[in-house]
Amino acid sequence: MTVTYTARVANARFGGFYKLLLLWRGSIYKLLYKEFLAFFVTYLGLSLTYRFVLAEDQKRYFEKLVIYCDNYANLIPVSFVLGFYVTLVVNRWWSQYTCMPMPDRLMCAISGSVHGGDERGRLYRRTLMRYSSLSAVLILRSVSTAVFKRFPTIDHVVEAGFMTREERKKYENLSSSYNKYWIPCVWFTNLVAQARKEGRVRDNCALKMLMEELNQFRANCSMLFHYDWISVPLVYTQVVTIAVYSFFVACLIGRQFLDPAQGYEGHDLDLCVPVFTLLQFFFYVGWLKVAEQLINPFGEDDDDFETNLLIDRNFQVSMMAVDEMYDDLPLLEKDRYWDASNPRAPYTAATVFLLHQPSFQGSTFDMT
């Protein structure tokens, strides 16, 4: 389920984000704590081995290895590689959300263009909307693990009411080795053409609008399929992962505290806990974990898209729009500002101060 905290940061204030640091679900702590503990325990194991297990000549060799790793670990361009990668993944994540097939525009077009208050007119509108919903379900069960668990077979899609048994026969009789999410869209176009012949769609402009809205809806379904098919190049993901983990493998040795009595440069202080190395691990590996979570938002992570909830919402709202709300208008009456020459909506006591603020006239309005 998506972690929403928008209301908590509605107003910027001192320490505005501190409450968010205490959240667990969807947090970086939940994603990272296992890797963090593994890194810390391994570091402490090496540190204790150096201090209490190794002989003196072995300690000298280990100290040379520490200095070598510390000098060359920073040659790995972790920030550069990881920054570009996370930017790419976040942009891809948001683009996938904007491609979610939402029926709102299509349902308004159907409600306003497919006429008839009789049972056949109602059947046309509901069937057209159901075809579009069916296409969305078919593509979402192809890319989302949560939706596939809900509809693992076509039988489940039929039982859910998105497809009739007769439609299932036609769907399965069409032999194709490719994903067949587009079939309901073709049914939609054929049914709209039939409605135009019967006069349910009254002119070609309305027919054109319906086709355009359907094509936009189908294009979104197609883009989800392509995002699922064409991943971020594997070599890029491998380079970033190897860069991050090899850097911290080097840090396990290179960031060890050495005996100050040996006089090594930069090792004047001996601490048990490498605070800044742990912070660096938290930030860099946490950044990599962000990319890991966002690279496929159709899984079941805390912040993945709520695809099943979207299916329920879209189906209910679209059917209500084309059926119950068809030709159902409120009574036309004069609004409360009918005779007002300067209408203004009222303010509450919490917002009345806005009345005393002048309206913006332009940046040069007060120029002398």
Coordinates of all heavy atoms in Angstrom, one line a residue, residues 185-270:
C185 N -10.0 -3.8 -27.2 CA -10.0 -2.5 -27.9 C -10.6 -2.6 -29.3 O -11.3 -1.7 -29.8 CB -8.6 -1.9 -27.9 SG -8.0 -1.5 -26.3
V186 N -10.3 -3.8 -30.0 CA -10.9 -4.0 -31.3 C -12.4 -4.2 -31.2 O -13.2 -3.7 -32.0 CB -10.2 -5.1 -32.0 CG1 -10.8 -5.4 -33.4 CG2 -8.7 -4.8 -32.2
W187 N -12.8 -5.0 -30.2 CA -14.2 -5.2 -30.0 C -14.9 -3.8 -29.7 O -16.0 -3.6 -30.2 CB -14.4 -6.1 -28.8 CG -14.0 -7.5 -28.9 CD1 -13.8 -8.1 -30.1 CD2 -13.8 -8.5 -27.9 NE1 -13.4 -9.4 -29.9 CE2 -13.5 -9.7 -28.6 CE3 -13.9 -8.5 -26.5 CZ2 -13.2 -10.8 -27.9 CZ3 -13.7 -9.6 -25.8 CH2 -13.3 -10.8 -26.5
F188 N -14.2 -2.9 -29.0 CA -14.7 -1.6 -28.7 C -15.0 -0.8 -30.0 O -16.1 -0.3 -30.2 CB -13.7 -0.9 -27.8 CG -14.2 0.5 -27.4 CD1 -14.6 0.7 -26.1 CD2 -14.2 1.6 -28.2 CE1 -15.0 2.0 -25.7 CE2 -14.5 2.9 -27.8 CZ -15.0 3.0 -26.5
T189 N -14.0 -0.8 -30.9 CA -14.1 -0.1 -32.2 C -15.3 -0.7 -33.0 O -16.0 0.1 -33.6 CB -12.8 -0.1 -33.0 OG1 -12.4 -1.5 -33.2 CG2 -11.7 0.5 -32.2
N190 N -15.4 -2.0 -33.1 CA -16.5 -2.6 -33.9 C -17.8 -2.3 -33.3 O -18.8 -2.0 -34.0 CB -16.3 -4.1 -33.9 CG -15.0 -4.5 -34.7 OD1 -14.6 -3.8 -35.5 ND2 -14.5 -5.7 -34.4
L191 N -17.9 -2.2 -32.0 CA -19.2 -1.9 -31.3 C -19.6 -0.5 -31.5 O -20.7 -0.1 -31.7 CB -19.1 -2.3 -29.8 CG -20.5 -2.3 -29.1 CD1 -21.5 -3.3 -29.7 CD2 -20.3 -2.6 -27.6
V192 N -18.6 0.4 -31.5 CA -18.9 1.8 -31.7 C -19.3 2.0 -33.1 O -20.3 2.8 -33.4 CB -17.6 2.7 -31.4 CG1 -17.7 4.1 -32.0 CG2 -17.4 2.8 -29.9
A193 N -18.7 1.3 -34.1 CA -19.1 1.4 -35.5 C -20.6 1.0 -35.7 O -21.4 1.6 -36.4 CB -18.2 0.6 -36.4
Q194 N -20.9 -0.1 -34.9 CA -22.3 -0.6 -35.0 C -23.3 0.4 -34.4 O -24.4 0.6 -34.9 CB -22.4 -1.9 -34.2 CG -23.8 -2.6 -34.3 CD -23.8 -4.0 -33.6 OE1 -22.9 -4.8 -33.9 NE2 -24.7 -4.2 -32.7
A195 N -22.9 1.0 -33.3 CA -23.7 2.0 -32.6 C -23.9 3.2 -33.6 O -25.0 3.8 -33.6 CB -23.1 2.5 -31.3
R196 N -22.9 3.6 -34.3 CA -23.0 4.7 -35.3 C -24.0 4.3 -36.4 O -24.8 5.2 -36.8 CB -21.6 5.0 -35.9 CG -21.7 6.0 -37.0 CD -21.9 7.4 -36.4 NE -22.0 8.4 -37.5 CZ -23.1 8.9 -38.0 NH1 -24.3 8.5 -37.6 NH2 -23.1 9.9 -38.9
K197 N -24.0 3.1 -36.8 CA -25.0 2.7 -37.9 C -26.4 2.7 -37.4 O -27.3 3.1 -38.1 CB -24.7 1.3 -38.3 CG -23.4 1.1 -39.2 CD -23.1 -0.3 -39.6 CE -21.8 -0.4 -40.3 NZ -21.5 -1.9 -40.7
E198 N -26.6 2.4 -36.1 CA -27.9 2.4 -35.5 C -28.4 3.8 -35.1 O -29.5 4.0 -34.6 CB -28.0 1.5 -34.3 CG -27.8 0.0 -34.6 CD -28.0 -0.9 -33.4 OE1 -28.5 -0.4 -32.4 OE2 -27.7 -2.1 -33.5
G199 N -27.5 4.8 -35.1 CA -27.8 6.2 -34.8 C -27.6 6.4 -33.3 O -28.0 7.5 -32.8
R200 N -27.0 5.5 -32.5 CA -26.8 5.7 -31.1 C -25.6 6.8 -31.0 O -25.6 7.6 -30.0 CB -26.3 4.4 -30.5 CG -27.4 3.3 -30.6 CD -28.5 3.5 -29.6 NE -29.5 2.5 -29.7 CZ -30.6 2.3 -28.9 NH1 -30.7 3.2 -27.9 NH2 -31.4 1.4 -29.1
V201 N -24.7 6.7 -31.9 CA -23.7 7.8 -32.0 C -24.1 8.7 -33.2 O -24.2 8.2 -34.3 CB -22.3 7.2 -32.3 CG1 -21.3 8.3 -32.4 CG2 -21.9 6.3 -31.1
R202 N -24.5 9.9 -32.9 CA -25.3 10.7 -33.9 C -24.5 11.3 -35.0 O -25.1 11.7 -36.0 CB -26.0 11.8 -33.1 CG -27.1 11.2 -32.1 CD -27.8 12.2 -31.3 NE -28.8 11.6 -30.4 CZ -29.4 12.2 -29.4 NH1 -29.1 13.5 -29.2 NH2 -30.2 11.6 -28.7
D203 N -23.2 11.5 -34.9 CA -22.5 12.1 -36.0 C -21.0 11.6 -36.0 O -20.6 10.9 -35.0 CB -22.5 13.6 -35.9 CG -22.0 14.2 -34.6 OD1 -20.9 13.7 -34.1 OD2 -22.7 15.0 -34.0
N204 N -20.3 11.9 -37.1 CA -19.0 11.4 -37.2 C -18.0 12.1 -36.3 O -16.9 11.5 -35.9 CB -18.5 11.5 -38.6 CG -19.2 10.6 -39.6 OD1 -19.7 9.5 -39.2 ND2 -19.4 11.0 -40.8
C205 N -18.3 13.3 -35.8 CA -17.5 14.0 -34.9 C -17.4 13.2 -33.6 O -16.4 13.1 -32.9 CB -17.9 15.4 -34.7 SG -17.7 16.5 -36.1
A206 N -18.6 12.8 -33.1 CA -18.7 12.0 -31.9 C -17.9 10.7 -32.0 O -17.2 10.2 -31.1 CB -20.1 11.8 -31.5
L207 N -18.1 10.1 -33.2 CA -17.4 8.8 -33.4 C -15.9 9.0 -33.4 O -15.1 8.2 -32.8 CB -17.8 8.3 -34.8 CG -17.1 7.0 -35.3 CD1 -17.5 5.8 -34.3 CD2 -17.5 6.6 -36.7
K208 N -15.4 10.1 -34.0 CA -14.0 10.4 -34.0 C -13.5 10.6 -32.6 O -12.4 10.1 -32.3 CB -13.8 11.6 -34.9 CG -12.3 12.1 -35.0 CD -12.2 13.3 -35.9 CE -10.7 13.8 -36.0 NZ -10.3 14.4 -34.8
M209 N -14.3 11.3 -31.8 CA -13.8 11.6 -30.4 C -13.7 10.3 -29.6 O -12.7 10.1 -28.9 CB -14.8 12.5 -29.7 CG -14.5 12.8 -28.3 SD -15.6 13.9 -27.4 CE -17.1 12.8 -27.5
L210 N -14.7 9.4 -29.8 CA -14.6 8.1 -29.1 C -13.4 7.3 -29.5 O -12.7 6.7 -28.7 CB -15.9 7.3 -29.4 CG -17.2 7.8 -28.7 CD1 -18.4 7.1 -29.2 CD2 -17.1 7.5 -27.2
M211 N -13.1 7.3 -30.8 CA -11.9 6.6 -31.3 C -10.6 7.2 -30.8 O -9.7 6.4 -30.4 CB -11.9 6.6 -32.8 CG -13.0 5.8 -33.5 SD -12.9 4.0 -33.0 CE -14.1 3.3 -34.1
E212 N -10.6 8.5 -30.7 CA -9.4 9.1 -30.2 C -9.1 8.8 -28.7 O -8.0 8.6 -28.3 CB -9.5 10.6 -30.4 CG -9.3 11.1 -31.9 CD -9.5 12.6 -32.1 OE1 -10.0 13.2 -31.1 OE2 -9.1 13.1 -33.1
E213 N -10.2 8.9 -27.9 CA -10.1 8.6 -26.5 C -9.7 7.1 -26.3 O -8.9 6.8 -25.4 CB -11.4 8.9 -25.8 CG -11.7 10.4 -25.7 CD -10.7 11.2 -25.1 OE1 -9.9 10.6 -24.2 OE2 -10.5 12.4 -25.4
L214 N -10.3 6.2 -27.1 CA -9.9 4.8 -27.0 C -8.4 4.6 -27.4 O -7.7 3.8 -26.7 CB -10.8 3.9 -27.9 CG -10.3 2.5 -28.0 CD1 -10.6 1.8 -26.6 CD2 -11.0 1.7 -29.1
N215 N -8.0 5.3 -28.4 CA -6.6 5.1 -28.8 C -5.6 5.6 -27.8 O -4.6 5.0 -27.6 CB -6.4 5.8 -30.2 CG -6.8 5.0 -31.3 OD1 -6.8 3.8 -31.3 ND2 -7.3 5.7 -32.4
Q216 N -6.0 6.7 -27.1 CA -5.2 7.2 -26.0 C -5.1 6.1 -24.8 O -4.1 5.9 -24.2 CB -5.7 8.5 -25.5 CG -4.9 9.1 -24.3 CD -3.5 9.4 -24.7 OE1 -3.2 10.0 -25.8 NE2 -2.5 9.0 -23.9
F217 N -6.3 5.6 -24.5 CA -6.4 4.5 -23.5 C -5.5 3.3 -23.9 O -4.8 2.8 -23.1 CB -7.8 4.2 -23.3 CG -8.1 3.2 -22.1 CD1 -8.3 3.7 -20.9 CD2 -8.1 1.9 -22.3 CE1 -8.6 2.9 -19.8 CE2 -8.4 1.0 -21.3 CZ -8.6 1.5 -20.0
R218 N -5.7 2.9 -25.1 CA -4.9 1.7 -25.6 C -3.4 2.0 -25.6 O -2.6 1.1 -25.3 CB -5.4 1.3 -27.0 CG -4.7 0.1 -27.5 CD -4.6 0.1 -29.0 NE -3.9 1.3 -29.5 CZ -2.5 1.4 -29.4 NH1 -1.8 0.4 -28.9 NH2 -1.9 2.5 -29.8
A219 N -3.1 3.3 -26.0 CA -1.6 3.6 -26.0 C -1.0 3.5 -24.6 O 0.1 3.1 -24.5 CB -1.5 5.1 -26.5
N220 N -1.8 3.9 -23.6 CA -1.3 3.8 -22.2 C -1.1 2.3 -21.8 O -0.1 1.9 -21.2 CB -2.2 4.4 -21.2 CG -2.2 5.9 -21.3 OD1 -1.2 6.5 -21.8 ND2 -3.2 6.6 -20.8
C221 N -2.0 1.4 -22.3 CA -1.8 0.0 -22.0 C -0.6 -0.5 -22.7 O 0.2 -1.3 -22.2 CB -3.1 -0.8 -22.5 SG -4.6 -0.4 -21.6
S222 N -0.4 0.0 -24.0 CA 0.8 -0.5 -24.7 C 2.1 0.0 -24.1 O 3.0 -0.8 -24.0 CB 0.7 0.1 -26.2 OG 1.8 -0.3 -26.9
M223 N 2.1 1.2 -23.6 CA 3.3 1.7 -22.9 C 3.6 0.9 -21.7 O 4.8 0.7 -21.4 CB 3.2 3.2 -22.6 CG 3.3 4.1 -23.8 SD 4.8 3.9 -24.7 CE 6.0 4.3 -23.5
L224 N 2.6 0.5 -20.9 CA 2.9 -0.4 -19.7 C 3.6 -1.7 -20.2 O 4.5 -2.2 -19.5 CB 1.6 -0.6 -19.0 CG 1.0 0.5 -18.2 CD1 -0.2 0.0 -17.3 CD2 2.0 1.2 -17.2
F225 N 3.0 -2.2 -21.3 CA 3.6 -3.5 -21.8 C 5.1 -3.3 -22.2 O 5.9 -4.1 -21.9 CB 2.8 -3.9 -23.0 CG 3.3 -5.2 -23.6 CD1 3.2 -6.4 -23.1 CD2 4.0 -5.1 -24.9 CE1 3.7 -7.5 -23.7 CE2 4.5 -6.2 -25.5 CZ 4.4 -7.4 -24.9
H226 N 5.4 -2.1 -22.9 CA 6.7 -1.9 -23.3 C 7.7 -1.6 -22.1 O 8.8 -2.0 -22.2 CB 6.7 -0.8 -24.3 CG 6.2 -1.2 -25.7 ND1 6.8 -2.0 -26.5 CD2 5.0 -0.8 -26.3 CE1 6.1 -2.2 -27.6 NE2 5.0 -1.5 -27.5
Y227 N 7.2 -0.9 -21.1 CA 8.0 -0.6 -19.9 C 8.3 -1.9 -19.3 O 9.4 -2.1 -18.7 CB 7.3 0.3 -19.0 CG 7.5 1.8 -19.2 CD1 6.4 2.6 -19.5 CD2 8.8 2.3 -19.1 CE1 6.7 4.0 -19.7 CE2 9.0 3.7 -19.3 CZ 7.9 4.5 -19.6 OH 8.2 5.8 -19.9
D228 N 7.4 -2.9 -19.3 CA 7.7 -4.2 -18.7 C 8.6 -5.0 -19.5 O 9.4 -5.8 -19.0 CB 6.3 -4.9 -18.5 CG 6.5 -6.2 -17.7 OD1 6.9 -6.2 -16.6 OD2 6.2 -7.3 -18.3
W229 N 8.6 -4.8 -20.8 CA 9.4 -5.6 -21.7 C 10.8 -5.0 -21.8 O 11.8 -5.7 -21.7 CB 8.7 -5.6 -23.1 CG 9.4 -6.3 -24.2 CD1 10.4 -7.3 -24.1 CD2 9.3 -6.1 -25.6 NE1 10.8 -7.7 -25.3 CE2 10.1 -7.0 -26.3 CE3 8.5 -5.2 -26.4 CZ2 10.2 -7.1 -27.7 CZ3 8.6 -5.3 -27.8 CH2 9.4 -6.2 -28.4
I230 N 10.9 -3.7 -22.0 CA 12.2 -3.1 -22.2 C 12.7 -2.5 -20.8 O 12.2 -1.5 -20.4 CB 12.1 -1.9 -23.2 CG1 11.5 -2.4 -24.5 CG2 13.5 -1.3 -23.5 CD1 12.3 -3.6 -25.2
S231 N 13.6 -3.2 -20.2 CA 14.1 -2.8 -18.9 C 15.2 -1.8 -19.0 O 15.7 -1.6 -20.1 CB 14.5 -4.0 -18.1 OG 13.5 -4.9 -17.9
V232 N 15.6 -1.2 -17.9 CA 16.9 -0.4 -17.9 C 18.0 -1.4 -18.3 O 18.0 -2.6 -17.8 CB 17.1 0.1 -16.5 CG1 18.5 0.8 -16.5 CG2 16.1 1.1 -16.1
P233 N 18.9 -1.1 -19.2 CA 19.9 -2.1 -19.7 C 20.6 -2.7 -18.5 O 21.0 -2.1 -17.5 CB 20.8 -1.2 -20.5 CG 20.0 -0.1 -21.0 CD 19.0 0.2 -19.9
L234 N 20.7 -4.1 -18.6 CA 21.2 -4.8 -17.5 C 22.6 -4.4 -17.2 O 23.0 -4.4 -16.0 CB 21.2 -6.3 -17.9 CG 21.7 -7.3 -16.8 CD1 21.0 -7.2 -15.5 CD2 21.7 -8.7 -17.4
V235 N 23.4 -4.1 -18.2 CA 24.8 -3.7 -17.9 C 24.9 -2.4 -17.0 O 25.8 -2.3 -16.2 CB 25.6 -3.4 -19.3 CG1 25.8 -4.7 -20.0 CG2 24.8 -2.4 -20.2
Y236 N 23.9 -1.5 -17.2 CA 23.9 -0.3 -16.4 C 23.7 -0.7 -14.9 O 24.4 -0.2 -14.0 CB 22.9 0.6 -16.9 CG 23.0 2.1 -16.5 CD1 22.1 3.0 -16.9 CD2 24.1 2.5 -15.6 CE1 22.2 4.4 -16.5 CE2 24.2 3.8 -15.2 CZ 23.3 4.7 -15.7 OH 23.4 6.0 -15.3
T237 N 22.7 -1.5 -14.7 CA 22.3 -2.0 -13.3 C 23.5 -2.7 -12.7 O 23.8 -2.6 -11.5 CB 21.1 -2.9 -13.4 OG1 20.0 -2.2 -14.0 CG2 20.7 -3.3 -12.0
Q238 N 24.2 -3.6 -13.5 CA 25.3 -4.3 -13.0 C 26.5 -3.4 -12.6 O 27.1 -3.6 -11.6 CB 25.8 -5.4 -14.0 CG 24.8 -6.5 -14.2 CD 25.2 -7.5 -15.3 OE1 26.0 -7.1 -16.2 NE2 24.7 -8.7 -15.3
V239 N 26.7 -2.4 -13.5 CA 27.8 -1.5 -13.2 C 27.6 -0.8 -11.9 O 28.5 -0.6 -11.1 CB 28.0 -0.5 -14.4 CG1 28.9 0.7 -14.0 CG2 28.6 -1.2 -15.6
V240 N 26.4 -0.3 -11.7 CA 26.1 0.5 -10.5 C 26.2 -0.4 -9.3 O 26.8 0.0 -8.3 CB 24.7 1.1 -10.6 CG1 24.3 1.8 -9.3 CG2 24.6 2.1 -11.8
T241 N 25.6 -1.6 -9.4 CA 25.7 -2.5 -8.2 C 27.1 -2.9 -7.9 O 27.5 -2.9 -6.7 CB 24.8 -3.7 -8.5 OG1 23.5 -3.4 -8.9 CG2 24.8 -4.6 -7.3
I242 N 27.9 -3.2 -8.9 CA 29.3 -3.6 -8.6 C 30.1 -2.4 -8.1 O 30.9 -2.6 -7.1 CB 29.9 -4.1 -9.9 CG1 29.3 -5.5 -10.3 CG2 31.4 -4.3 -9.8 CD1 29.7 -6.0 -11.7
A243 N 29.8 -1.2 -8.6 CA 30.5 -0.1 -8.1 C 30.3 0.2 -6.6 O 31.2 0.5 -5.8 CB 30.2 1.2 -8.9
V244 N 29.0 0.1 -6.2 CA 28.6 0.4 -4.8 C 29.2 -0.6 -3.9 O 29.8 -0.3 -2.9 CB 27.1 0.5 -4.7 CG1 26.7 0.6 -3.2 CG2 26.6 1.7 -5.5
Y245 N 29.0 -1.9 -4.2 CA 29.4 -3.0 -3.3 C 30.9 -3.1 -3.3 O 31.5 -3.4 -2.2 CB 28.7 -4.3 -3.6 CG 27.2 -4.2 -3.2 CD1 26.2 -4.2 -4.1 CD2 26.9 -4.3 -1.8 CE1 24.8 -4.1 -3.7 CE2 25.6 -4.3 -1.4 CZ 24.5 -4.2 -2.3 OH 23.2 -4.2 -1.9
S246 N 31.6 -3.0 -4.4 CA 33.0 -3.1 -4.4 C 33.6 -1.9 -3.6 O 34.6 -2.1 -2.9 CB 33.6 -3.1 -5.8 OG 33.2 -1.9 -6.5
F247 N 33.0 -0.8 -3.7 CA 33.5 0.4 -2.9 C 33.4 0.1 -1.4 O 34.4 0.3 -0.6 CB 32.7 1.6 -3.2 CG 33.0 2.8 -2.4 CD1 34.1 3.6 -2.6 CD2 32.2 3.2 -1.3 CE1 34.5 4.7 -1.8 CE2 32.5 4.3 -0.5 CZ 33.6 5.0 -0.8
F248 N 32.4 -0.5 -0.9 CA 32.2 -0.8 0.5 C 33.0 -2.0 0.9 O 33.3 -2.2 2.1 CB 30.8 -0.8 0.9 CG 30.1 0.6 0.9 CD1 29.3 1.0 -0.1 CD2 30.5 1.4 2.0 CE1 28.8 2.3 0.0 CE2 29.9 2.7 2.0 CZ 29.1 3.1 1.0
V249 N 33.2 -3.0 0.0 CA 34.1 -4.1 0.4 C 35.5 -3.5 0.6 O 36.2 -3.9 1.6 CB 34.2 -5.1 -0.8 CG1 35.3 -6.1 -0.6 CG2 32.9 -5.9 -0.8
A250 N 36.0 -2.5 -0.2 CA 37.2 -1.9 0.0 C 37.2 -1.1 1.3 O 38.2 -1.0 2.1 CB 37.6 -1.0 -1.1
C251 N 36.0 -0.5 1.6 CA 35.9 0.3 2.9 C 36.0 -0.6 4.1 O 36.4 -0.1 5.2 CB 34.6 1.1 2.9 SG 34.6 2.5 1.8
L252 N 35.6 -1.8 4.0 CA 35.7 -2.7 5.2 C 37.1 -2.8 5.7 O 37.3 -2.9 6.9 CB 35.1 -4.1 4.8 CG 33.6 -4.3 4.7 CD1 33.3 -5.7 4.2 CD2 33.0 -4.1 6.1
I253 N 38.0 -2.8 4.7 CA 39.5 -2.9 5.1 C 40.1 -1.5 5.2 O 40.7 -1.2 6.2 CB 40.2 -3.7 4.1 CG1 39.6 -5.1 4.0 CG2 41.7 -3.8 4.4 CD1 40.2 -6.0 2.9
G254 N 39.8 -0.6 4.2 CA 40.5 0.7 4.2 C 40.1 1.6 5.3 O 40.8 2.6 5.6
R255 N 38.9 1.5 5.8 CA 38.4 2.4 6.9 C 38.7 1.9 8.3 O 38.1 2.4 9.3 CB 36.9 2.7 6.7 CG 36.6 3.3 5.3 CD 37.2 4.7 5.2 NE 37.0 5.2 3.8 CZ 35.8 5.8 3.4 NH1 34.8 5.9 4.3 NH2 35.7 6.2 2.2
Q256 N 39.5 0.8 8.4 CA 39.8 0.3 9.8 C 40.7 1.3 10.5 O 41.5 2.0 9.9 CB 40.5 -1.0 9.7 CG 39.7 -2.2 9.1 CD 38.7 -2.7 10.1 OE1 38.8 -2.5 11.3 NE2 37.6 -3.3 9.6
F257 N 40.5 1.4 11.8 CA 41.3 2.3 12.6 C 42.6 1.5 13.0 O 42.5 0.4 13.5 CB 40.6 2.7 13.9 CG 39.5 3.7 13.6 CD1 38.2 3.3 13.6 CD2 39.8 5.0 13.4 CE1 37.1 4.1 13.3 CE2 38.7 5.9 13.1 CZ 37.4 5.5 13.1
L258 N 43.7 2.1 12.8 CA 45.0 1.4 13.1 C 45.6 1.9 14.4 O 45.3 3.0 14.9 CB 46.0 1.7 11.9 CG 45.5 1.2 10.5 CD1 46.6 1.5 9.5 CD2 45.2 -0.2 10.5
D259 N 46.6 1.2 14.9 CA 47.2 1.5 16.1 C 48.0 2.9 16.0 O 48.9 3.0 15.2 CB 48.2 0.4 16.5 CG 48.9 0.6 17.8 OD1 48.5 1.6 18.5 OD2 49.8 -0.2 18.2
P260 N 47.6 3.9 16.8 CA 48.2 5.2 16.7 C 49.7 5.1 17.0 O 50.5 6.0 16.5 CB 47.5 6.0 17.7 CG 46.2 5.3 17.9 CD 46.5 3.9 17.7
A261 N 50.1 4.1 17.7 CA 51.5 4.0 18.1 C 52.4 3.8 16.9 O 53.6 4.1 16.9 CB 51.7 2.9 19.1
Q262 N 51.8 3.3 15.8 CA 52.6 3.0 14.6 C 52.9 4.3 13.8 O 53.8 4.3 12.9 CB 51.9 2.0 13.7 CG 51.6 0.7 14.4 CD 52.9 0.0 14.8 OE1 53.9 0.0 14.1 NE2 52.9 -0.6 16.1
G263 N 52.2 5.4 14.1 CA 52.5 6.7 13.5 C 52.1 6.8 12.0 O 52.6 7.6 11.3
Y264 N 51.1 6.1 11.6 CA 50.6 6.2 10.2 C 49.8 7.5 10.1 O 49.1 7.9 11.0 CB 49.7 5.0 9.9 CG 50.4 3.7 9.8 CD1 50.1 2.7 10.8 CD2 51.3 3.4 8.9 CE1 50.7 1.5 10.8 CE2 52.0 2.2 8.8 CZ 51.6 1.2 9.8 OH 52.3 0.0 9.7
E265 N 50.0 8.1 8.9 CA 49.4 9.4 8.7 C 47.9 9.3 8.6 O 47.3 8.4 8.0 CB 49.9 10.0 7.4 CG 49.3 11.4 7.1 CD 49.8 11.9 5.7 OE1 50.7 11.3 5.1 OE2 49.4 13.0 5.3
G266 N 47.2 10.1 9.4 CA 45.7 10.0 9.4 C 45.2 9.0 10.3 O 43.9 8.9 10.4
H267 N 46.0 8.4 11.1 CA 45.5 7.4 12.1 C 46.0 7.8 13.5 O 46.6 7.0 14.2 CB 46.1 6.0 11.7 CG 45.4 5.4 10.5 ND1 44.3 4.8 10.5 CD2 45.8 5.5 9.2 CE1 43.9 4.4 9.2 NE2 44.9 4.8 8.4
D268 N 45.7 9.0 13.9 CA 46.1 9.5 15.2 C 45.0 9.2 16.2 O 45.3 9.2 17.4 CB 46.3 11.0 15.1 CG 47.3 11.5 14.1 OD1 48.3 10.7 14.0 OD2 47.1 12.5 13.4
L269 N 43.8 8.8 15.8 CA 42.7 8.5 16.7 C 42.3 7.1 16.5 O 42.1 6.7 15.3 CB 41.6 9.5 16.4 CG 40.4 9.5 17.3 CD1 40.8 9.8 18.8 CD2 39.3 10.4 16.9
D270 N 42.0 6.4 17.5 CA 41.6 5.0 17.4 C 40.2 4.9 18.0 O 39.9 5.1 19.2 CB 42.5 4.1 18.2 CG 42.2 2.6 18.0 OD1 41.4 2.3 17.1 OD2 42.7 1.8 18.8

